[in-house]
Amino acid sequence: ISSLRASPPPRKKSRGSAAEGAGESGASAAGITGLSAASLPTPHQRSAIRLNHSSQSRRSAAVNAFYKMQANGTGGQEPEPEPQLSCRNGESSSSAAGAVHSNGLQSSANNGLPSTESPASDTSTKKKKRLSQSDEDVIRLIGQHLHGLGLNQTVDLLMQESGCRLEHPAATKFRNHVMEGEWEKAESDLNELKALMHSPSAVVVRVQSPLSISTVRCVNRMKFLLLQQKYLEYLEDGKILEALQVLRAELTPLKYNTERIHVLSGYLMCSLPDDLRAKAEWEGKGTASRSKLLDKLQTYLPPSVMLPPRRLQALLRQAVELQRDRCLYHNTKLDSGLDNVSLLIDHVCSRKQFPCYTQQILTEHCNEVWFCKFSHDGTKLASGSKDTTVIIWQVDPDSHQLKQLKTLEGHAYGVSYLAWSPDDTYLIACGPDDCSELWLWNVQTGELRTKMSQSHEDSLTSVAWNPDGKRFVTGGQRGQFYQCDLDGNLLDSWEGVRVQCLWCVSDGRTVLASDTHQRIRGYNFEDLTDRNIVQEDHPIMSFTVSKSGRLALLNVATQGVHLWDLQDRVLVRKYQGVTQGFYTIHSCFGGYNEDFIASGSEDHKVYIWHKRSELPIAELTGHTRTVNCVSWNPALPGLMASASDDGTVRVWGPAPFLDSQETEGHHWDI
């Protein structure tokens, strides 16, 4: 013991100052000197004491050296780093516990740096992050969708962990009472919901929501729907007296929709439940009708109280529809469902699915081809040529290849315009400016039914069928404007109108005619009135009207293709790219929903635009002279035909199976 007091064993000095080390040693020695004989350490304890004192000395020296460097602003030798425990993700931790989440990531509020905080502060970092309003909305939408799939335990866990609630407790109670058919309780729930419908927290409402009306009237509507369901269920169960009591004592006093109450009273005469369900167009008592009722009731409640039915599906459907609308090449039927759509990728249609590749070149005409037109059912194509013939082509429904069906001859001046009757039984052919005759052919038999000519001075260059298929109008630039029957008999005439192009409106009374005054006017043959609809600054060479009758597509001399809204009488869009001089070029609407526009051009190309885009989405090459007319098959959205002065008719379709195939006309100029 005396030797221990006199000369302590040597220790490894820290990297601090010698004076500080000596002070540490002196303090340690003094502590040991004061030990009693009974509490002398064993050899193992003495070794632990030395190790502990050495560690404390090193830590104290390192801290003192750090503060000296901070105060002096000078560099110094860093203390030797202490070995640290390794975390699962490979990062160091100064905590002996490691503070690691179950996912292997370190719990730290210091942007991933090792945590040196106390356990108390570590606990505070595990507090739930406050969710934003959008996060809460998404969680509620997911919860509603999962609830619809029957995953109720998953919904409960999601709501518990997120701290959100799917809907207000009052709404949940109301829902359960409706689905269980407890109508008195459901009606009582409305009083509680009434307070929520105008509360400050119920601020999120949909546009044009019924909440815009007074709350009282809104509650009355909901009560009316509840009582109506109650009344119908009593009738189906044969409880006539109870149903009558609901009608007289509950529905009628609401003084709401008395007309509907009269209709409901008529259901008392239904003797069988099937008759009641059929007459009321009602699913009957049960889950189906009550779910439908609940969907209606939900529309009167703010979404903060009860979400609109199937809200997530509605949002996803809107997103898919928006992507389709923005897709420049979408040319198929719009499916509003989500079953055939992948939500994992954006909707994109390939250009190769679009009718931009030459599928067939028809060379049977021996001179310029001035016009072509598909029949309304899409099974035939008619082409008219300067060679005085009209050729009828049959469209194969499987291969979409065209085969010559009939040749109609005898048009001495050539054929510059064709019009199919509404039922595709007849075809009318017109000639160029100096032609005073018109031919009406029976396409099925190939026989000429009527050859009409009112005067040798006439110029019958355009024709349009009345929707009834029993009359047609025709005219030309020499001032003739006639309405005739199928035998060519003159029914009406309009004097002094120099007609460039004609179209019959679906009302069966009005005829649209473009004239030499750069306008389109509407002429009513019944009351003999006319009005201006479109006014351009340049000659209108031709025009066509969409199936809806709302839009008109004009080929304007030196200007190109213009889209007009006939109802609002405004110019909607001017399409760029096409070369249009004073040749008569015929454009068309096309595609599945008439979302596209196609036109020929004097630069030998066919141009295609999406209806919403002024720039062309495709320029089709292959013709060697002016393209006079383009026709899009109304039944096959992927099939299109173009007629040219080069004497050919080109049939356009999607890309061939071999992508590397680059035959004539199988390339793009964008």
Side-chain angles (χ1 to χ4, degrees):
I1 295 173
S2 60
S3 63
L4 180 62
R5 291 173 181 168
S7 57
R11 289 175 299 171
K12 191 174 184 180
K13 291 185 178 180
S14 68
R15 297 190 181 183
S17 65
E20 292 168 346
E24 294 266 349
S25 301
S28 300
I32 297 176
T33 304
L35 293 175
S36 64
S39 59
L40 290 176
T42 65
H44 291 289
Q45 290 173 333
R46 288 198 299 270
S47 176
I49 289 172
R50 287 195 298 271
L51 182 59
N52 183 40
H53 281 223
S54 175
S55 176
Q56 289 178 356
S57 176
R58 286 197 302 273
R59 292 184 182 181
S60 178
V63 171
N64 291 335
F66 173 78
Y67 282 112
K68 279 184 180 182
M69 286 188 290
Q70 293 290 85
N72 298 332
T74 59
Q77 201 171 12
E78 295 181 359
E80 182 179 335
E82 179 185 358
Q84 296 178 341
L85 296 176
S86 175
C87 294
R88 293 189 195 178
N89 60 359
E91 296 184 2
S92 61
S93 172
S94 59
S95 170
V100 178
H101 285 296
S102 59
N103 60 2
L105 297 179
Q106 193 174 18
S107 176
S108 173
N110 298 322
N111 299 326
L113 296 176
S115 175
T116 58
E117 297 179 358
S118 63
S121 64
D122 181 67
T123 304
S124 65
T125 61
K126 295 183 179 179
K127 279 184 161 183
K128 290 182 180 177
K129 178 184 175 183
R130 181 174 178 82
L131 298 175
S132 65
Q133 183 62 51
S134 61
D135 289 335
E136 291 184 7
D137 291 345
V138 171
I139 290 173
R140 291 182 65 202
L141 291 173
I142 294 174
Q144 184 194 44
H145 183 68
L146 294 176
H147 179 75
L149 297 176
L151 304 177
N152 297 327
Q153 293 182 358
T154 305
V155 176
D156 294 340
L157 183 60
L158 175 63
M159 296 301 131
Q160 180 182 355
E161 187 172 357
S162 64
C164 302
R165 66 183 183 191
L166 186 58
E167 57 189 13
H168 195 279
T172 302
K173 184 170 59 173
F174 178 67
R175 176 194 301 276
N176 294 335
H177 289 156
V178 170
M179 294 304 297
E180 292 168 5
E182 298 181 1
W183 306 117
E184 287 76 12
K185 293 181 180 180
E187 189 175 347
S188 177
D189 294 336
L190 287 179
N191 295 325
E192 187 175 354
L193 292 173
K194 179 179 179 180
L196 298 173
M197 291 166 66
H198 62 273
S199 65
S201 60
V203 293
V204 184
V205 295
R206 286 175 291 168
V207 178
Q208 296 180 344
S209 169
L211 290 173
S212 59
I213 64 175
S214 68
T215 304
V216 175
R217 190 176 181 187
C218 193
V219 171
N220 284 341
R221 288 185 178 184
M222 298 178 71
K223 188 179 294 187
F224 185 89
L225 292 173
L226 285 173
L227 294 174
Q228 178 180 253
Q229 179 78 10
K230 178 182 177 181
Y231 169 77
L232 292 174
E233 290 192 7
Y234 275 151
L235 283 181
E236 187 181 38
D237 291 339
K239 300 178 180 180
I240 306 300
L241 294 179
E242 289 85 347
L244 189 60
Q245 178 67 15
V246 172
L247 187 66
R248 289 179 176 177
E250 298 183 65
L251 277 169
T252 303
L254 289 177
K255 296 180 180 179
Y256 173 78
N257 202 347
T258 54
E259 183 179 349
R260 177 62 179 168
I261 290 177
H262 292 321
V263 174
L264 291 175
S265 63
Y267 297 157
L268 289 167
M269 306 303 296
C270 296
S271 57
L272 297 175
D274 290 341
D275 295 339
L276 172 65
R277 289 190 288 267
K279 193 172 182 180
E281 298 180 354
W282 178 59
E283 294 82 357
K285 179 179 178 180
T287 304
S289 64
R290 292 173 182 174
S291 297
K292 193 172 181 179
L293 168 65
L294 196 59
D295 288 348
K296 293 179 181 178
L297 294 170
Q298 281 179 297
T299 61
Y300 295 92
L301 295 171
S304 56
V305 176
M306 180 183 283
L307 286 173
R310 294 171 291 280
R311 182 59 181 162
L312 182 59
Q313 293 96 316
L315 292 174
L316 292 175
R317 190 161 47 247
Q318 291 172 13
V320 170
E321 290 174 358
L322 180 61
Q323 289 188 15
R324 285 172 173 169
D325 289 342
R326 292 181 175 178
C327 178
L328 293 178
Y329 301 100
H330 189 77
N331 191 28
T332 57
K333 182 179 180 181
L334 292 175
D335 185 5
S336 59
L338 298 175
D339 295 337
N340 300 324
V341 177
S342 174
L343 301 177
L344 306 181
I345 57 174
D346 289 341
H347 173 85
V348 177
C349 289
S350 171
R351 294 181 300 184
K352 295 182 179 180
Q353 301 169 348
F354 211 64
C356 295
Y357 296 82
T358 300
Q359 303 283 20
Q360 203 173 353
I361 303 176
L362 309 178
T363 59
E364 278 70 11
H365 285 293
C366 56
N367 210 326
E368 298 173 357
V369 185
W370 289 339
F371 198 85
C372 65
K373 186 73 173 179
F374 280 104
S375 59
H376 296 95
D377 61 8
T379 61
K380 299 178 183 65
L381 174 73
S383 58
S385 171
K386 187 179 179 180
D387 65 6
T388 73
T389 66
V390 173
I391 298 180
I392 308 298
W393 310 86
Q394 184 72 44
V395 180
D396 187 280
D398 299 322
S399 65
H400 298 175
Q401 292 289 302
L402 274 66
K403 183 173 64 174
Q404 185 172 349
L405 183 64
K406 289 183 177 67
T407 301
L408 310 177
E409 300 176 340
H411 311 87
Y413 296 90
V415 179
S416 63
Y417 195 84
L418 296 165
W420 291 88
S421 64
D423 61 358
D424 295 328
T425 300
Y426 298 105
L427 181 71
I428 296 179
C430 298
D433 291 342
D434 51 355
C435 179
S436 61
E437 297 176 324
L438 175 149
W439 293 262
L440 193 156
W441 296 89
N442 186 318
V443 178
Q444 296 177 351
T445 63
E447 297 177 352
L448 179 65
R449 171 162 179 169
T450 303
K451 181 179 179 181
M452 191 197 86
S453 177
Q454 294 294 328
S455 169
H456 292 292
E457 297 179 356
D458 286 350
S459 173
L460 304 181
T461 58
S462 184
V463 66
W465 283 90
N466 190 285
D468 62 11
K470 300 176 181 178
R471 295 170 291 164
F472 61 88
V473 291
T474 183
Q477 292 193 9
R478 296 179 183 174
Q480 297 77 32
F481 190 8
Y482 305 129
Q483 181 171 220
C484 308
D485 62 14
L486 296 181
D487 295 322
N489 299 317
L490 185 63
L491 301 178
D492 296 291
S493 65
W494 209 292
E495 298 296 332
V497 181
R498 299 180 181 274
V499 173
Q500 180 72 26
C501 192
L502 292 167
W503 190 273
C504 286
V505 180
S506 58
D507 63 6
R509 300 186 303 271
T510 307
V511 178
L512 302 182
S514 61
D515 56 31
T516 54
H517 296 285
Q518 305 167 3
R519 63 189 181 183
I520 295 177
R521 293 179 64 82
Y523 297 88
N524 191 314
F525 275 91
E526 291 186 359
D527 56 17
L528 300 180
T529 59
D530 61 313
R531 58 192 177 97
N532 202 43
I533 297 177
V534 170
Q535 182 65 59
E536 282 279 1
D537 296 328
H538 298 81
I540 300 173
M541 307 307 296
S542 69
F543 76 94
T544 186
V545 179
S546 62
K547 291 179 181 178
S548 66
R550 177 74 182 262
L551 301 175
L553 198 60
L554 284 61
N555 283 75
V556 184
T558 71
Q559 301 299 302
V561 181
H562 292 180
L563 182 68
W564 279 79
D565 187 317
L566 297 179
Q567 180 173 319
D568 296 336
R569 304 184 191 181
V570 294
L571 176 62
V572 177
R573 199 158 283 113
K574 296 181 179 181
Y575 297 103
Q576 303 177 20
V578 67
T579 302
Q580 169 78 64
F582 288 90
Y583 284 97
T584 299
I585 294 178
H586 299 272
S587 56
C588 68
F589 293 96
Y592 182 80
N593 198 34
E594 288 196 331
D595 286 331
F596 303 97
I597 288 167
S599 177
S601 177
E602 294 181 17
D603 62 2
H604 315 164
K605 297 179 182 179
V606 174
Y607 287 82
I608 301 178
W609 301 268
H610 195 284
K611 195 162 55 178
R612 298 189 310 270
S613 175
E614 294 184 354
L615 296 176
I617 61 174
E619 300 174 17
L620 313 185
T621 60
H623 286 294
T624 57
R625 293 182 64 187
T626 296
V627 181
N628 299 307
C629 182
V630 180
S631 179
W632 209 305
N633 192 302
L636 301 172
L639 196 63
M640 187 173 62
S642 58
S644 171
D645 282 347
D646 63 10
T648 68
V649 175
R650 282 185 175 252
V651 181
W652 307 87
F657 292 110
L658 297 177
D659 293 341
S660 60
Q661 187 174 357
E662 293 289 343
T663 58
E664 183 183 8
H666 286 194
H667 56 280
W668 286 78
D669 296 324
I670 299 299

